[in-house]
Amino acid sequence: MFIIDAHLDLSMNALEWNRDLQIPVADINKREEGLTDKPDRAKAVVSLLELRKGNIGLVVATQIGRYVAPGNPLPGWHSPEQAWAQTQGQLAWYKAMETAGQMVQINNLQSLEAHLQLWADGKDNTHKPIGYILSLEGADSIVDVSYLQGAYNNGLRAVGPAHYGPGRYANGTDATGKMKANGIELLKEMERLHIILDATHLCDDAFWQALDNFNGHVWASHNNCRALVNHNRQYSDEMIKALVERGAVIGAALDAWMMVPNWVRGESTPRKMNCNLDVMIDHIDHICQLAGNTLHVGMGTDLDGAFGREQCPYDLETIADMQKVPQLLKNRGYTDTDIENMMHGNWLRFLRNAWK
């Protein structure tokens, strides 16, 4: 089945992890044997080849560059301009992948429909380009709001105003407080440019304020349910219902600590915590029950988003194993139409509506 994945940090893996995503995952991991600079070394699950193998022909691909003020312990850049430069290097990698025929940017309805037609032509997918919709995870790298027009011209189509901690425009995961004045200004410029608001990572205060101040299209690229894992990174039932009312689609994420409660970083393992793909279905089912239908859930795996096999479902060797998900959904009683909606149909309906 054709799959759309709404959140992959491909350029971060290519540049910060120094991974050649054009080669097989096994070769990436072999080259990283013995490296200890990051906890997921030699545990990668994503490459462009594995995306094709899994019939994942369209992804929302990120740029990310966090600014950290003095005293902020999070990793990041010491000026907005440095963060901007980082995201522009990531953009250059996507462009290089386009030149190599590995990827193609999808930024309007015409390019979307052409790409879908290519992937539905019945021919072998081995050499087809992976379509990517450019998204910015955390807006810290937007030096000021005037930069957004140039980013849009380069293909940016979705923005999440915050990531982890306090941000320049909004507060994110593990932080509190409403958006700043420039955050409201950012939302208005996003609305003018018809850029999608990605509500992922917004802290509760900023989440509600963003919904009140943004009249455009909203999605949540990679989020799970607070009712199942009680942490501010997850959505409460009230937040899920608000997103449903806005016509949003929520991408189910595969970071183990977001899937199962009581995960201890560096100690817990997916198998010991019984974290498998079926747990993702628990989160999907919870959203569907709140919505009363299957029209507001999609895939948003976040695989290789600074974690690998040490912190993702134990029955997933590579991202190609997302093809196991339709059967798991069927086992829960979902219909073929429901499953098609959740694997790709809901994202497509959202994009066609946003880009019409």
Side-chain angles (χ1 to χ4, degrees):
M1 181 177 291
F2 185 74
I3 299 176
I4 296 174
D5 191 330
H7 190 81
L8 287 178
D9 295 304
L10 297 176
S11 63
M12 182 187 74
N13 272 264
L15 297 190
E16 292 188 53
W17 268 247
N18 195 15
R19 287 171 170 167
D20 180 3
L21 299 184
Q22 301 173 92
I23 65 176
V25 162
D27 292 348
I28 294 173
N29 288 331
K30 184 176 181 180
R31 192 162 189 177
E32 293 185 358
E33 287 178 358
L35 296 181
T36 59
D37 59 315
K38 298 180 186 294
D40 59 330
R41 286 299 189 193
K43 299 180 180 71
V45 300
V46 175
S47 76
L48 298 174
L49 291 170
E50 291 297 324
L51 286 170
R52 295 186 186 99
K53 183 179 176 182
N55 207 33
I56 305 169
L58 181 61
V59 303
V60 178
T62 66
Q63 296 171 287
I64 184 169
R66 183 193 292 116
Y67 164 72
V68 291
N72 187 337
L74 293 170
W77 303 98
H78 291 177
S79 74
E81 290 80 4
Q82 287 170 273
W84 170 262
Q86 177 72 4
T87 65
Q88 297 314 289
Q90 294 165 356
L91 176 63
W93 179 80
Y94 288 120
K95 295 298 184 183
M97 289 299 97
E98 290 189 62
T99 300
Q102 296 277 3
M103 302 183 76
V104 60
Q105 188 180 94
I106 307 301
N107 53 36
N108 56 33
L109 195 57
Q110 183 180 6
S111 59
L112 175 66
E113 300 298 354
H115 187 67
L116 294 174
Q117 187 175 1
L118 172 67
W119 274 76
D121 65 6
K123 298 179 181 178
D124 182 70
N125 295 337
T126 304
H127 300 293
K128 290 178 183 177
I130 302 295
Y132 76 99
I133 299 166
L134 195 61
S135 177
L136 181 64
E137 187 173 22
D140 286 1
S141 60
I142 302 295
V143 178
D144 60 55
V145 172
S146 70
Y147 276 63
L148 198 59
Q149 178 71 65
Y152 177 87
N153 294 345
N154 285 326
L156 185 65
R157 293 296 181 266
V159 171
H163 192 224
Y164 277 84
R168 295 182 59 240
Y169 293 94
N171 294 304
T173 301
D174 291 331
T176 58
K178 293 185 176 182
M179 300 185 73
K180 300 176 182 178
N182 65 349
I184 302 300
E185 184 185 0
L186 179 75
L187 292 177
K188 295 305 179 187
E189 182 67 357
M190 289 169 57
E191 190 175 320
R192 183 185 74 82
L193 292 169
H194 301 288
I195 291 175
I196 296 160
L197 169 63
D198 188 350
T200 303
H201 279 294
L202 287 170
C203 74
D204 287 22
D205 294 330
F207 173 91
W208 293 111
Q209 189 182 21
L211 290 190
D212 286 343
N213 286 274
F214 184 78
N215 296 312
H217 296 275
V218 182
W219 70 22
S221 59
H222 56 303
N223 263 96
N224 289 344
C225 304
R226 195 174 297 180
L228 303 183
V229 177
N230 187 17
H231 189 277
N232 66 76
R233 173 66 180 83
Q234 325 297 336
Y235 282 146
S236 69
D237 288 359
E238 293 74 20
M239 297 165 87
I240 293 169
K241 290 176 183 177
L243 288 169
V244 168
E245 290 177 3
R246 289 290 293 265
V249 179
I250 302 169
L254 290 177
D255 195 341
W257 81 269
M258 295 173 57
M259 299 176 69
V260 295
N262 304 314
W263 181 274
V264 179
R265 291 180 183 271
E267 296 181 19
S268 298
T269 66
R271 193 166 290 278
K272 287 181 180 178
M273 299 297 287
N274 198 29
C275 181
N276 55 23
L277 286 168
D278 210 45
V279 174
M280 181 178 73
I281 312 301
D282 294 339
H283 288 268
I284 287 173
D285 190 63
H286 186 78
I287 295 170
C288 290
Q289 295 301 322
L290 289 173
N293 56 54
T294 60
L295 300 177
H296 298 278
V297 179
M299 301 299 112
T301 66
D302 196 22
L303 288 173
D304 281 2
F307 68 96
R309 289 193 60 218
E310 83 289 352
Q311 199 168 300
C312 70
Y314 65 75
D315 50 350
L316 185 143
E317 294 286 333
T318 78
I319 196 168
D321 286 326
M322 287 299 292
Q323 284 295 342
K324 297 178 179 180
V325 174
Q327 183 60 51
L328 295 176
L329 290 167
K330 192 170 186 176
N331 294 346
R332 296 289 187 101
Y334 288 102
T335 68
D336 290 344
T337 299
D338 293 332
I339 294 167
E340 288 180 4
N341 282 336
M342 290 188 275
M343 301 311 292
H344 61 259
N346 291 336
W347 291 125
L348 291 179
R349 186 188 68 255
F350 182 100
L351 289 167
R352 285 167 172 152
N353 188 39
W355 290 351
K356 63 184 178 182

